[in-house]
Amino acid sequence: MECVSLVEYFVLDQGEEIGHIKPERGLRQSDPISSYLFIIVTKGFNAMIRDYERSGKLHGISVARNAQLISHLFFADDIFIFFKANVEEAKDLRHLLQVYEKATGQCMNMEKSTLASSGNTTLDMRNRLGTILRIQQGSGMGREILMKTVLQAQPTYARGVFLMPKVLVKEVENVMNSYWWKGGGGNNRGINRKPGKHLYIPKKWGGLGVRNLYEFNLALLYKQALRLYQNPDSLVSKARGLFTKFFRKWK
């Protein structure tokens, strides 16, 4: 808490300092300390899950016989927690989350959380688990995260510099739509129950909320153009002007 309470801010208005401002509600997202604070808190959450696992309150899953059990996976801003589909472990997991929320002040977003069960879990047990954890039932959560964090995030830098051909955009969209409905397995079974454009409809309107690749590409390029326009004295803007004059003279 000293990292938070010792920080002070000043607002500059035409060169004059206005303030001081002392934060009392924690670190903001742009603060350089926030990422380290998140790692420290996450390591504590990891230790809590490990403790529940050692005491037999939570059991993970195994991808193969005699393989190591996996109780949880941490991503950038998503967490997967695996447990046996029974009432006892669901209550223990709920208690674990409540202790974590009380200790850190971070509350679990139930609307963005999804409970995924195996095919061997009965419908009655799924409903009971959802009621205990107060999480809605769902499927395809892992596919949605993978599409948004991998297929969309990887070419972000290239899309901020180059305009992607529409043929390439169409191919990527077809892969994403096929992966969402068919799973991308070796047998490639399944059918596309809805057209690819369904993925790009906002969630509040019944879609998946995936960004439109071509429109996002244009938005990134417009952002670069706006940066050049607002900063005419930057090195890139001056270089662009020199190249423009050179080609006009050459022509």
Side-chain angles (χ1 to χ4, degrees), residues 11-28:
V11 179
L12 294 179
D13 182 15
Q14 298 181 357
E16 296 183 1
E17 293 184 355
I18 302 177
H20 65 283
I21 303 173
K22 191 171 183 179
E24 297 180 354
R25 299 186 62 183
L27 298 173
R28 295 298 181 262

Side-chain angles (χ1 to χ4, degrees), residues 121-248:
T121 308
T122 63
L123 180 59
D124 179 65
M125 180 56 68
R126 294 181 184 181
N127 295 331
R128 295 178 65 183
L129 297 178
T131 302
I132 295 173
L133 296 173
R134 302 175 186 176
I135 300 177
Q136 60 182 352
Q137 300 285 338
S139 60
M141 179 179 58
R143 297 181 188 177
E144 178 184 353
I145 295 175
L146 184 61
M147 285 194 303
K148 293 182 178 179
T149 58
V150 178
L151 293 178
Q152 283 193 312
Q154 281 188 343
T156 299
Y157 177 79
R159 284 181 292 179
V161 181
F162 306 103
L163 179 62
M164 295 177 61
K166 290 186 176 180
V167 177
L168 178 59
V169 174
K170 186 65 176 179
E171 291 181 359
V172 176
E173 289 178 349
N174 291 337
V175 171
M176 294 173 61
N177 189 38
S178 178
Y179 175 73
W180 172 252
W181 290 112
K182 300 178 182 180
N187 52 20
N188 202 28
R189 295 179 179 177
I191 59 175
N192 296 347
R193 294 183 176 85
K194 290 188 178 181
K197 62 181 180 180
H198 173 76
L199 301 178
Y200 310 103
I201 301 176
K203 286 188 175 181
K204 63 180 180 180
W205 294 339
L208 194 61
V210 178
R211 290 176 178 174
N212 185 287
L213 299 180
Y214 185 72
E215 294 179 357
F216 186 52
N217 188 192
L218 293 179
L220 293 176
L221 294 177
Y222 288 149
K223 183 179 180 180
Q224 296 290 356
L226 180 62
R227 184 177 300 174
L228 294 175
Y229 176 78
Q230 294 178 341
N231 299 278
D233 297 330
S234 63
L235 181 61
V236 178
S237 298
K238 293 180 180 179
R240 180 180 59 87
L242 291 175
F243 277 114
T244 302
K245 293 180 181 180
F246 173 78
F247 283 112
R248 285 179 179 176

Side-chain angles (χ1 to χ4, degrees), residues 6 9 16 37 76 90 92 114 186 212:
L6 295 178
Y9 297 96
E16 296 183 1
L37 183 62
D92 290 334
T114 307
N212 185 287

